[in-house]
Amino acid sequence: GHMEFVDVNIGSKLTVKYPAIYLVGDGASGEVRSVAYAGKGQHQDTGAKMVHAAPNTTSKIVSKSMSQDGGTTTCRGLVSVDEGATGAASVLSCEALLLDEQSASLNLPHLEILEDDAQISHETKVSKIANEQLFYLMSHGLSEEQSMGMIVNGFIEPVTKTLPMEYAVEWSRLIELQMEGSVG
């Protein structure tokens, strides 16, 4: 069977989210997609655990996070391939976008692989909003807020496009509200 978990997180001072999926049937697959936003005084600690306990299992963890006003995000990803779980394949991707110089991001990937033929790809990336990007959009008539919003929505689009429409719209609105108080 296939198990999917989607998480969108904006909010409290410290939030820890760490769903675990155990792949115990031959050919089982699992996927976790998450988006987190950390503003002033917030720490979003997100991630997922995928345990491959049967042959020919596949998993995917995609985490996108943004930090602003000194907020911090942590992305944890644990991929475990048990003995006997031959033919396992997994993708672990943690991407963070820092919206200013005060914010921070930490990636903590962890791989426990007990089978030689496992195919594990692992990517972590931290990027900052470039002044050139903002300048380009603002020179085409957008405000700083609109420009930031556009860059952020482009960054999280790979996750939000998998959400049902009403969630995706709600998510965009939440991001705009969070950023309104921060830009300028």
Side-chain angles (χ1 to χ4, degrees), residues 3-7 9 15-23 29-36 44-52 58-65 74-81 90-95 106-112 120-122 124:
M3 185 170 188
E4 224 167 283
F5 181 85
V6 180
D7 181 45
N9 213 20
T15 306
V16 180
K17 288 263 174 88
Y18 196 62
I21 295 179
Y22 291 82
L23 303 166
S29 62
E31 192 168 343
V32 173
R33 296 185 300 272
S34 70
V35 176
Q44 297 281 358
D45 191 324
T46 61
K49 177 178 178 178
M50 288 288 182
V51 179
H52 293 255
T58 55
S59 71
K60 190 173 191 179
I61 299 170
V62 178
S63 171
K64 299 248 182 191
S65 66
T74 299
C75 173
R76 296 170 193 277
L78 167 67
V79 176
S80 166
V81 177
S90 182
V91 175
L92 169 58
S93 168
C94 287
E95 275 188 81
L106 188 61
N107 285 321
L108 301 171
H110 189 67
L111 307 175
E112 295 173 1
I120 312 294
S121 81
H122 155 237
T124 57

Side-chain angles (χ1 to χ4, degrees), residues 62-149:
V62 178
S63 171
K64 299 248 182 191
S65 66
M66 291 154 295
S67 313
Q68 192 173 23
D69 287 339
T72 303
T73 60
T74 299
C75 173
R76 296 170 193 277
L78 167 67
V79 176
S80 166
V81 177
D82 294 352
E83 231 174 287
T86 53
S90 182
V91 175
L92 169 58
S93 168
C94 287
E95 275 188 81
L97 182 63
L98 305 180
L99 304 183
D100 55 38
E101 295 298 320
Q102 299 81 47
S103 300
S105 170
L106 188 61
N107 285 321
L108 301 171
H110 189 67
L111 307 175
E112 295 173 1
I113 314 299
L114 298 178
E115 281 295 343
D116 294 342
D117 68 348
Q119 294 185 339
I120 312 294
S121 81
H122 155 237
E123 171 196 28
T124 57
K125 193 164 124 197
V126 178
S127 41
K128 291 182 179 170
I129 281 196
N131 288 334
E132 309 86 80
Q133 286 176 302
L134 281 177
F135 180 76
Y136 175 82
L137 291 169
M138 288 165 74
S139 71
H140 284 73
L142 293 175
S143 69
E144 186 179 0
E145 248 171 51
Q146 290 170 317
S147 302
M148 287 276 263

